[in-house]
Amino acid sequence: MPLIVEPDSLGPYANPGPRPGPPSGYDFHDRTVSRHLVHRAAVSEVFLTGWQATGPYDFLLGAQWPRLHGFYRLPGDRYHDPVLIAETVRQAGLLIGHAGFGVPRDHHFVMEDLGYALGEAGLPGLAVTGGPAALMLTVGCQDVRMRHGRLASLRVHAEITRDGLRIGHGSGQLRVITPASYERLRGPGRHAVTPPLPPEPAAPELVGRAQPTDVVLSPTLRPDTWLLRADARHPVLFDHELDHVPGMLVLEAARQAAQRLHHPEPVAPVELVTSFERYIELDRPCYVRAVRERTPDGRRTPVLVRLDQDGRTAAECRLLAEPVDGPRVPVRRDAFEGRPAVPGLLPLAG
């Protein structure tokens, strides 16, 4: 049976070592891994449930999604939200960094890119059933770079199966930063910044949400541009205290922007890749811009989303939006739409 190490100090974690295959009797879905291994405060937000090293750079992980997640969900609740794949792969990279390569618990990880794509089964492979979704992730680490005997960066690539069916794959590039380097990078006092109250949200039904508190876009005078709502009180996106906008909020902004462009037809992001260029600060405005791109496939629509702050692109996301079977949302508009533009209201627009 592999050694499952629970953290009790700031020291490195032990690697259980490569094994030829899953040991007899070991249940990869018996319990969640320690929340500290995936940088989560709430146990309910931990999706990984077991792990084993199968080679120097190869791992087998178990994961479980709840039957219906309180935040990551699609209109109609027929399918699991594909964005759960991104969060699961993100957690896999953190766990492997700590448990597989001995990164100390107080070190920081920078996600430089994150993406996923559904398998041939498409959305039906993510069908919601009568119980939680039990997944297996076969993870290979690429471009592993060490510095002074410590992990400096790596790329994780995960093939994801559910009941033996390949439902998708995901990939992410992570960089490891020591506490001292992080302080130099972020500057003194960034952790003490008090985020302002977020602006008024867009109408929830326009962006595929049921509750205003889950909306991460605020309307502007331009139909393709929104102000990012970074609400530090959100229990999932801000599961723990942060001094910057979390990466999963960027993905959520891209998804909601794509849904807004497709309104009133509900869509799901079946493929997505995001690159993170720089930190998005909590105390300065960030603008989200989206455009639908042309495609020969009439069912899946490419959408390009950019997040700009201080006149520079901080993150870019490309996704494929596919219609979700279900009732169409009644047509409505945001309060700002149709008003004449006010000079200076959108300093980054143009």
Side-chain angles (χ1 to χ4, degrees):
M1 181 173 179
L3 174 65
I4 302 297
V5 181
E6 299 294 345
D8 58 2
S9 71
L10 296 182
Y13 299 97
N15 187 321
R19 296 178 182 269
S24 176
Y26 176 59
D27 185 353
F28 274 92
H29 303 101
D30 181 57
R31 61 183 178 133
T32 60
V33 302
S34 169
R35 59 193 175 90
H36 300 293
L37 290 172
V38 296
H39 298 192
R40 280 288 172 250
V43 174
S44 60
E45 296 306 316
V46 178
F47 298 143
L48 300 184
T49 54
W51 73 283
Q52 179 192 36
T54 57
Y57 298 146
D58 300 295
F59 298 84
L60 191 62
L61 279 65
Q64 188 182 84
W65 296 340
R67 184 176 177 183
L68 285 178
H69 191 271
F71 177 70
Y72 294 113
R73 58 199 304 176
L74 295 179
D77 291 331
R78 294 185 58 196
Y79 307 109
H80 290 284
D81 186 352
V83 179
L84 282 167
I85 296 178
E87 172 60 15
T88 304
V89 171
R90 188 195 71 83
Q91 292 189 16
L94 298 177
L95 181 144
I96 288 171
H98 284 308
F101 288 90
V103 174
R105 182 171 140 190
D106 63 342
H107 283 39
H108 298 263
F109 286 83
V110 173
M111 184 71 73
E112 297 183 334
D113 62 65
L114 179 62
Y116 67 82
L118 297 191
E120 293 183 2
L123 282 172
L126 304 185
V128 173
T129 62
L135 312 174
M136 293 300 299
L137 284 71
T138 302
V139 182
C141 299
Q142 305 165 350
D143 302 326
V144 178
R145 299 184 180 183
M146 310 292 290
R147 183 178 297 114
H148 306 303
R150 291 280 193 177
L151 179 68
S153 64
L154 84 166
R155 172 171 294 280
V156 294
H157 180 84
E159 294 289 339
I160 307 170
T161 59
R162 178 186 186 187
D163 300 325
L165 174 69
R166 182 179 176 273
I167 64 168
H169 65 269
S171 178
Q173 177 78 25
L174 295 95
R175 183 160 49 95
V176 181
I177 302 179
T178 66
S181 295
Y182 188 81
E183 282 295 316
R184 290 193 297 270
L185 177 66
R186 298 294 291 139
R190 286 307 308 176
H191 63 279
V193 170
T194 301
L197 290 176
E200 288 297 311
E205 60 268 32
L206 297 180
V207 294
R209 284 298 177 181
Q211 302 297 328
T213 53
D214 290 335
V215 176
V216 302
L217 302 178
S218 180
T220 70
L221 296 177
R222 294 183 53 155
D224 62 351
T225 303
W226 303 267
L227 190 63
L228 183 67
R229 298 186 74 245
D231 188 351
R233 301 166 299 181
H234 196 279
V236 175
L237 294 173
F238 287 87
D239 166 78
H240 56 283
E241 186 176 359
L242 293 166
D243 65 0
H244 60 275
V245 168
M248 291 306 295
L249 175 52
V250 172
L251 270 65
E252 182 61 26
R255 177 251 287 286
Q256 291 189 18
Q259 178 60 72
R260 181 64 187 91
L261 295 183
H262 285 81
H263 177 75
E265 182 177 46
V267 295
V270 295
E271 293 187 22
L272 181 151
V273 61
T274 299
S275 60
F276 304 97
E277 303 298 329
R278 52 181 51 85
Y279 287 102
I280 300 177
E281 305 299 348
L282 292 168
D283 56 347
R284 298 202 292 274
C286 176
Y287 290 94
V288 181
R289 310 172 188 280
V291 59
R292 295 174 64 165
E293 300 181 321
R294 295 182 179 180
T295 174
D297 184 349
R299 182 167 176 80
R300 291 184 170 185
T301 306
V303 179
L304 172 63
V305 182
R306 287 194 176 97
L307 283 79
D308 298 332
Q309 187 173 69
D310 299 333
R312 299 184 298 174
T313 297
E316 181 175 286
C317 181
R318 293 182 180 271
L319 60 89
L320 279 182
E322 179 177 305
V324 179
D325 297 333
R328 291 165 68 91
V329 179
V331 177
R332 64 165 293 178
R333 298 155 68 94
D334 280 320
F336 284 159
E337 289 186 12
R339 294 184 183 180
V342 177
L345 183 61
L346 290 179
L348 298 183

